[in-house]
Amino acid sequence: MLFRSASSVAWGSGRGVGPTGASTNGTALAWARLASGSTLHDVVHAVVERADTTTGLSYWRSIDGGDWTVGIRIDPPARRGSQGVVAASGGVVYVAWTSSASTDPASTAPRTIWFRWNNGNGAPSRWSTPIRLTPATGRVDRPRIAAYGSNVYVAYTDMVTGWIQVRISRDYGRHWVTRAVGRTTRTGPGGDRKSTRLNSSHSQQSRMPSSA
């Protein structure tokens, strides 16, 4: 549900985001992320994940904070995405997500991060082709994304090594470098390193050399 306030004090009633029933049916909606920051007043962007194996991730947009456009598929249908995140700066919208051949959290199948940008405030015809940001044979988890001007940042955890990495682009997502910002010692299913907050006791600050 989306709640909107023009004063940060008085809030309107909740409005559903995504396909009909997705915001109220706990078995239908698995993941939803929102972002604002466009040049147009009251524009809100959303990435919605359905908890089934057919619909994957969809992008939704509201230009008034209440009514939503019909969602469009973001991830390639042949390889279902999950853990979608979205950011916006100016008229550019950025989305990232994880992709794996398996939806089982305990699976050791490769899991990669993919990225798309849109330079038309989310217009359907302005999406870039998907770009893979992490190695095809790696395993990553829980991406987070932020943007300011032409700068885009995608953070994630390497589930094999525990390194918390940030992919950085200074040109709207065309070219990227990688920086290591810490390391987690927590483990998840199958012994994988599990993402955690950088300021927790499980995370270690590091001066590990950056890699391109």
Side-chain angles (χ1 to χ4, degrees):
M1 302 292 285
L2 170 68
F3 294 86
R4 178 173 180 268
S5 173
S7 63
S8 300
V9 177
W11 290 83
S13 58
R15 302 289 297 272
V17 180
T20 302
S23 294
T24 56
N25 183 348
T27 63
L29 180 64
W31 193 276
R33 295 290 184 185
L34 300 176
S36 60
S38 296
T39 53
L40 300 177
H41 182 63
D42 272 353
V43 173
V44 181
H45 310 277
V47 170
V48 175
E49 177 186 347
R50 295 280 293 215
D52 55 51
T53 59
T54 58
T55 54
L57 298 174
S58 57
Y59 165 80
W60 299 71
R61 181 180 69 165
S62 172
I63 60 173
D64 60 7
D67 297 317
W68 294 86
T69 59
V70 175
I72 63 171
R73 182 80 181 251
I74 292 296
D75 57 324
R79 196 172 180 85
R80 179 178 179 268
S82 63
Q83 299 183 339
V85 289
V86 59
S89 181
V92 186
V93 184
Y94 308 94
V95 297
W97 66 91
T98 60
S99 180
S100 175
S102 173
T103 58
D104 182 358
S107 170
T108 58
R111 183 184 298 164
T112 55
I113 291 179
W114 290 77
F115 169 86
R116 296 181 77 175
W117 52 266
N118 182 304
N119 60 4
N121 247 317
S125 63
R126 304 290 286 275
W127 286 100
S128 69
T129 57
I131 302 169
R132 180 168 49 81
L133 294 185
T134 58
T137 58
R139 286 181 53 73
V140 299
D141 196 29
R142 299 187 180 277
R144 296 293 184 266
I145 192 169
Y148 181 77
S150 62
N151 302 309
V152 192
Y153 309 88
V154 178
Y156 60 92
T157 300
D158 186 315
M159 299 174 68
V160 178
T161 66
W163 284 108
I164 300 170
Q165 309 270 19
V166 181
R167 292 282 277 163
I168 303 170
S169 173
R170 305 294 188 186
D171 55 2
Y172 301 97
R174 274 71 167 182
H175 302 88
W176 297 83
V177 296
T178 305
R179 299 288 184 265
V181 296
R183 197 172 191 179
T184 177
T185 59
R186 294 181 64 193
T187 57
D192 282 329
R193 299 292 184 176
K194 188 176 181 181
S195 59
T196 186
R197 294 180 183 272
L198 284 178
N199 61 357
S200 78
S201 60
H202 300 287
S203 182
Q204 307 166 359
Q205 294 299 317
S206 172
R207 293 187 178 183
M208 175 183 176
S210 60
S211 59

